[in-house]
Every structure is written in structure tokens, then in C-alpha cells.
Amino acid sequence: MDYTAKHLDVVDFGGEVDYSGHQWFQELPPRPEPQPVVQPYIPDDAVIQQNEAFDFALKAAPNVLYGRFKQYGQLGVLAWCSEFSEMIDSLKQLGFSGNMFVATRAQALRTCEEILKLKLDIKMQIILMYLSSQVARLRRFLDSGEHQWEDYPIPEFPLDYRTYST
């Protein structure tokens, strides 16, 4: 087997081709057609109002969560997570229809950070994991893997079984 990658069936008789009479680059290359001017997108009033409503709800979300925690404790956080899940579904629908503004997206990402910064004394780790999963779900939709998030709370499960056995 020949590993030199030379073609043995090609015969080169030598001699150079005379290009002295050829004039190079005499024809100008064709210019590309100018792109047509596209009219800027002007959203409907309903889309603007919907984005403003989401912006308001996202700004209020950390305060509502804290209020529910103060009023009902850990079960208030669980109930709020259910409502937050419905809002995430609505935000996803807004995004898939192509009507989500960049400001709404940025506010949603800020809201996720603010929720995780809250000092909530949640002892039931399943509720903490559910809250984190809802925040992660919204972030995955908004950010599509561009950023690695490291601000999630760490569950505090008992790891040494001997301390809890008789």
C-alpha cells in the first residue's frame, strides 16, 4: 500500500504555461444587491401591556415570596412555587410566540437571582429543592445554557446515618 499520497498515473511533461499575454483582474467583480430596508417591528398594544404586566409581576415576586414565607411559613413557599410555575408557563408561551421583550427577559433573570438571595429558613428540603427547580426551569428557558449558575442553595441532608441511629 502506498502511503506517500503521490499519484503514479499522472505524467508531468514539464514546461511552464505562458501567461504573459493574459490580463488579470480586468473585469470588476459583481456588486451585491443592496439589502431592502426593513421596517422596524412595532408591537401591538396588547403585547406591550402583557410585557409590562410580566415586568411588574417579576419585580414583585421576591417580595410576595417573602411575605408568604412570613405569613404561612414553609407551606407558603410551597404554594408560591405553584403560582410561580404558572407564571413561568405563561412567560414561556410569551417567548415562544416571539413577543417577549429583552427588558422582560432581563427582569426575569434578576428576579431569579433575588429569589435565591432571600434568607428563608426552609427546613423541609423538598420545598427548597422545588423552589430551586422552578428557578432553574425559568433560567434554562431564558438563558439556553449560556451561563453556568452557581448560586443555588445547598440542601442540608443528614449524611452520616450513624448520628441518627439508635
Side-chain angles (χ1 to χ4, degrees), residues 95-132:
F96 286 140
S97 64
N99 293 327
M100 183 182 287
F101 294 166
V102 175
T104 306
R105 177 187 175 273
Q107 180 58 47
L109 289 171
R110 269 194 307 275
T111 299
C112 290
E113 290 175 11
E114 291 172 6
I115 287 171
L116 293 177
K117 285 181 184 176
L118 289 175
K119 301 294 182 202
L120 304 176
D121 187 29
I122 301 174
K123 299 293 183 195
M124 297 176 75
Q125 297 302 302
I126 192 74
I127 295 175
L128 182 68
M129 292 185 334
Y130 185 53
L131 175 65
S132 297

Side-chain angles (χ1 to χ4, degrees), residues 29-37:
R31 290 187 176 225
E33 295 284 330
Q35 296 293 331
V37 177

Side-chain angles (χ1 to χ4, degrees), residues 23-41:
Q23 295 184 359
W24 299 95
F25 305 110
Q26 293 299 315
E27 299 173 8
L28 293 175
R31 290 187 176 225
E33 295 284 330
Q35 296 293 331
V37 177
V38 178
Q39 296 296 327
Y41 172 69

Side-chain angles (χ1 to χ4, degrees), residues 71-91:
Q71 189 173 8
Y72 300 109
Q74 298 178 63
L75 293 179
V77 174
L78 183 62
W80 182 88
C81 286
S82 177
E83 294 173 6
F84 191 58
S85 175
E86 292 176 11
M87 186 167 68
I88 292 171
D89 292 338
S90 299
L91 275 170

